[in-house]
Amino acid sequence: MALDVNGRTRKVALDPRVTLLDALRDHLGLVGTKKGCDQGACGACTVHVDGKRVLSCLTLAAQCEGRAVTTIEGLAGPEGPHPVQAAFLEHDGFQCGFCTPGQIMSAVALLEEGRAGSDEEIREYMSGNLCRCGAYPHMVAAIREVASGSGRGAGA
Protein backbone atom coordinates (compact mmCIF):
# COMPACT_ATOMS: atom_id res chain seq x y z
CA MET A 1 0.00 0.00 0.00
CA ALA A 2 1.05 3.61 -0.45
CA LEU A 3 0.86 6.00 2.48
CA ASP A 4 1.26 9.77 2.10
CA VAL A 5 3.20 10.64 5.24
CA ASN A 6 4.50 14.14 5.87
CA GLY A 7 4.08 15.04 2.21
CA ARG A 8 5.96 12.05 0.90
CA THR A 9 4.49 8.88 -0.59
CA ARG A 10 5.84 5.79 1.13
CA LYS A 11 5.17 2.28 -0.20
CA VAL A 12 4.97 -0.43 2.42
CA ALA A 13 3.87 -4.06 2.46
CA LEU A 14 1.60 -4.38 5.47
CA ASP A 15 -0.81 -6.89 6.89
CA PRO A 16 -4.26 -5.24 6.75
CA ARG A 17 -4.46 -5.53 10.55
CA VAL A 18 -1.44 -3.26 11.17
CA THR A 19 -2.30 -0.05 12.98
CA LEU A 20 -1.19 3.31 11.66
CA LEU A 21 0.94 3.69 14.79
CA ASP A 22 2.85 0.47 14.14
CA ALA A 23 3.18 1.29 10.43
CA LEU A 24 4.69 4.67 11.28
CA ARG A 25 7.04 3.45 13.99
CA ASP A 26 7.97 -0.08 12.92
CA HIS A 27 7.78 0.10 9.13
CA LEU A 28 8.58 3.73 8.31
CA GLY A 29 10.97 4.49 11.19
CA LEU A 30 9.00 7.56 12.32
CA VAL A 31 9.33 7.09 16.07
CA GLY A 32 8.24 10.60 17.08
CA THR A 33 4.69 9.31 17.47
CA LYS A 34 4.62 7.52 20.81
CA LYS A 35 2.99 4.27 21.82
CA GLY A 36 1.46 4.94 25.20
CA CYS A 37 -1.51 2.89 26.34
CA ASP A 38 -2.15 1.31 22.90
CA GLN A 39 -5.87 1.48 23.75
CA GLY A 40 -6.81 5.02 22.70
CA ALA A 41 -6.92 6.37 26.24
CA CYS A 42 -3.78 8.52 26.55
CA GLY A 43 -3.41 10.44 23.26
CA ALA A 44 0.36 9.88 23.00
CA CYS A 45 -0.11 8.47 19.49
CA THR A 46 -2.07 11.44 18.08
CA VAL A 47 -1.34 12.26 14.44
CA HIS A 48 -3.29 14.13 11.77
CA VAL A 49 -5.07 12.37 8.91
CA ASP A 50 -6.36 14.82 6.30
CA GLY A 51 -5.80 17.58 8.85
CA LYS A 52 -7.91 15.98 11.60
CA ARG A 53 -6.43 14.47 14.73
CA VAL A 54 -6.72 10.72 15.11
CA LEU A 55 -5.40 8.18 17.57
CA SER A 56 -3.03 6.18 15.43
CA CYS A 57 -3.20 3.17 17.76
CA LEU A 58 -6.92 2.81 16.94
CA THR A 59 -6.58 3.51 13.21
CA LEU A 60 -5.62 0.86 10.69
CA ALA A 61 -2.91 1.86 8.25
CA ALA A 62 -5.10 0.54 5.44
CA GLN A 63 -7.72 3.16 6.33
CA CYS A 64 -5.16 5.87 5.56
CA GLU A 65 -4.21 4.82 2.05
CA GLY A 66 -4.69 7.82 -0.23
CA ARG A 67 -5.04 10.21 2.72
CA ALA A 68 -2.53 12.74 4.04
CA VAL A 69 -0.90 11.64 7.29
CA THR A 70 1.08 14.18 9.30
CA THR A 71 3.26 13.18 12.23
CA ILE A 72 5.28 15.30 14.63
CA GLU A 73 8.24 14.86 12.27
CA GLY A 74 6.27 16.58 9.50
CA LEU A 75 4.95 19.49 11.52
CA ALA A 76 7.93 21.83 11.30
CA GLY A 77 8.52 23.70 8.08
CA PRO A 78 11.65 24.88 6.29
CA GLU A 79 11.48 28.09 8.34
CA GLY A 80 11.77 26.14 11.60
CA PRO A 81 9.54 24.67 14.27
CA HIS A 82 5.78 25.01 14.02
CA PRO A 83 4.57 27.91 16.23
CA VAL A 84 3.06 25.40 18.69
CA GLN A 85 6.37 23.56 18.93
CA ALA A 86 8.15 26.86 19.59
CA ALA A 87 5.57 27.86 22.21
CA PHE A 88 5.88 24.50 23.99
CA LEU A 89 9.63 25.07 24.19
CA GLU A 90 9.22 28.65 25.37
CA HIS A 91 6.68 27.73 28.07
CA ASP A 92 8.34 24.46 29.10
CA GLY A 93 5.21 22.60 28.03
CA PHE A 94 6.76 19.23 28.70
CA GLN A 95 8.69 17.49 31.42
CA CYS A 96 9.66 13.93 30.54
CA GLY A 97 8.58 14.66 26.97
CA PHE A 98 6.96 11.30 26.25
CA CYS A 99 3.49 12.74 25.65
CA THR A 100 4.76 15.92 23.97
CA PRO A 101 4.36 14.83 20.31
CA GLY A 102 0.73 13.83 20.86
CA GLN A 103 0.06 16.96 22.92
CA ILE A 104 1.48 19.18 20.18
CA MET A 105 -0.47 17.40 17.43
CA SER A 106 -3.69 17.84 19.43
CA ALA A 107 -2.87 21.47 20.19
CA VAL A 108 -2.34 22.25 16.50
CA ALA A 109 -5.67 20.57 15.69
CA LEU A 110 -7.62 22.41 18.37
CA LEU A 111 -6.21 25.73 17.16
CA GLU A 112 -7.26 24.91 13.61
CA GLU A 113 -10.70 23.88 14.91
CA GLY A 114 -11.03 27.28 16.63
CA ARG A 115 -11.26 25.65 20.06
CA ALA A 116 -8.86 27.91 21.98
CA GLY A 117 -11.24 30.65 23.08
CA SER A 118 -10.49 30.22 26.78
CA ASP A 119 -8.27 28.20 29.09
CA GLU A 120 -11.28 26.04 29.98
CA GLU A 121 -11.97 25.34 26.30
CA ILE A 122 -8.29 24.48 25.71
CA ARG A 123 -8.35 22.09 28.68
CA GLU A 124 -11.56 20.46 27.44
CA TYR A 125 -10.25 19.90 23.90
CA MET A 126 -6.89 18.68 25.19
CA SER A 127 -8.49 16.32 27.72
CA GLY A 128 -7.86 13.26 25.56
CA ASN A 129 -4.11 13.73 25.97
CA LEU A 130 -2.70 12.65 29.29
CA CYS A 131 0.56 13.88 30.86
CA ARG A 132 1.79 11.96 33.85
CA CYS A 133 4.24 14.77 34.72
CA GLY A 134 1.46 17.33 35.09
CA ALA A 135 2.78 19.99 32.71
CA TYR A 136 -0.77 20.99 31.81
CA PRO A 137 -0.54 24.67 32.95
CA HIS A 138 2.53 25.17 30.74
CA MET A 139 0.82 23.53 27.77
CA VAL A 140 -2.27 25.71 28.18
CA ALA A 141 -0.03 28.80 28.36
CA ALA A 142 1.74 27.74 25.15
CA ILE A 143 -1.53 27.13 23.30
CA ARG A 144 -3.03 30.38 24.61
CA GLU A 145 0.02 32.28 23.36
CA VAL A 146 -0.28 30.86 19.85
CA ALA A 147 -4.06 31.42 19.84
CA SER A 148 -3.63 35.05 20.87
CA GLY A 149 -1.05 35.68 18.18
CA SER A 150 1.54 36.95 20.65
CA GLY A 151 5.03 35.79 21.44
CA ARG A 152 7.60 33.83 19.49
CA GLY A 153 5.30 30.86 19.02
CA ALA A 154 2.48 32.87 17.48
CA GLY A 155 1.22 32.54 13.97
CA ALA A 156 -0.44 29.12 13.71
Side-chain angles (χ1 to χ4, degrees), residues 14-94:
L14 297 174
D15 183 291
R17 297 169 293 176
V18 171
T19 65
L20 178 58
L21 174 61
D22 289 339
L24 293 169
R25 290 183 59 84
D26 300 340
H27 298 273
L28 299 177
L30 297 169
V31 296
T33 303
K34 302 303 182 202
K35 183 179 274 195
C37 66
D38 213 19
Q39 300 176 358
C42 73
C45 67
T46 304
V47 299
H48 296 172
V49 175
D50 292 337
K52 305 290 184 195
R53 57 182 148 173
V54 301
L55 297 171
S56 62
C57 73
L58 298 181
T59 304
L60 295 174
Q63 293 174 292
C64 298
E65 190 165 21
R67 302 172 74 189
V69 177
T70 304
T71 69
I72 193 72
E73 291 94 341
L75 200 56
E79 66 283 348
H82 185 280
V84 174
Q85 291 172 310
F88 265 60
L89 286 171
E90 186 172 321
H91 289 275
D92 195 21
F94 51 89

Side-chain angles (χ1 to χ4, degrees), residues 93-150:
F94 51 89
Q95 287 182 6
C96 80
F98 188 82
C99 70
T100 304
Q103 299 277 3
I104 289 174
M105 296 306 286
S106 282
V108 169
L110 86 84
L111 287 162
E112 291 174 0
E113 295 162 3
R115 306 280 188 193
S118 67
D119 286 1
E120 291 75 26
E121 189 175 35
I122 292 168
R123 287 188 195 98
E124 174 67 23
Y125 283 90
M126 291 294 291
S127 64
N129 291 78
L130 303 179
C131 170
R132 66 183 178 186
C133 301
Y136 297 116
H138 303 279
M139 294 176 201
V140 170
I143 296 166
R144 185 179 345 104
E145 177 183 284
V146 176
S148 71
S150 64

